[in-house]
Amino acid sequence: MNLLFALLSGLIFGIGLIAGGMTNPLKIQNFLDLFGTWDPSLGFVMSGAIAVGVFAFAAAKRRERSWTGEHIELPTNRTIDTRLILGGVLFGAGWGLGGFCPGPALVAMSSGVSSALYFIIAMLAGMVIHDRWLQR
């Protein structure tokens, strides 16, 4: 049953990313280009996702188990530190330069967008570098 929920969730998420234009790097870059070819439509997609998330997290806070019976563990750390800020800056730079974030890159790659493959390779390399750096 858990596998079915995972499959359906991933399918709905992927379709939503495609429908919202999140798998199109030019749409992302135009959203970030405030003084050029700015496209505010992505802001509506993100606002909709935030609205759904607010209600979903509020409901999850009142539950101990998910619909599949798994224990729910929500983040409790509210500390804003250098690692968080630096991570946000790196994520934003990658998003702006590549036009992808991890989820949409996977969806775009699976539909044959070659630039998404390059992004994912760079992302995985960054993850390996990060893990090795933390081990020191």
Side-chain angles (χ1 to χ4, degrees), residues 30-40:
N30 286 339
F31 172 71
L32 298 172
D33 187 4
L34 298 177
F35 302 107
T37 56
W38 186 53
D39 178 1

Side-chain angles (χ1 to χ4, degrees), residues 107-133:
V107 174
M109 184 188 72
S110 68
S111 61
V113 177
S114 60
S115 58
L117 175 62
Y118 303 133
F119 177 87
I120 289 172
I121 290 169
M123 178 182 72
L124 291 172
M127 293 166 93
V128 168
I129 291 167
H130 170 266
D131 288 349
R132 297 237 168 112
W133 180 65

Side-chain angles (χ1 to χ4, degrees), residues 2-80:
N2 287 353
L3 194 56
L4 179 62
F5 271 113
L7 177 67
L8 288 175
S9 298
L11 187 61
I12 292 168
F13 183 63
I15 290 170
L17 291 174
I18 292 168
M22 296 286 290
T23 59
N24 180 355
L26 291 177
K27 187 160 189 82
I28 305 299
Q29 290 167 340
N30 286 339
F31 172 71
L32 298 172
D33 187 4
L34 298 177
F35 302 107
T37 56
W38 186 53
D39 178 1
S41 63
L42 202 54
F44 296 113
V45 172
M46 288 192 268
S47 297
I50 290 169
V52 169
V54 164
F55 291 111
F57 275 97
K61 277 185 177 180
R62 293 189 297 265
R63 300 176 58 114
E64 288 187 24
R65 301 234 171 247
S66 71
W67 290 339
T68 62
E70 301 292 322
H71 181 68
I72 295 176
E73 293 184 37
L74 296 175
T76 57
N77 185 357
R78 296 184 173 269
T79 305
I80 298 175

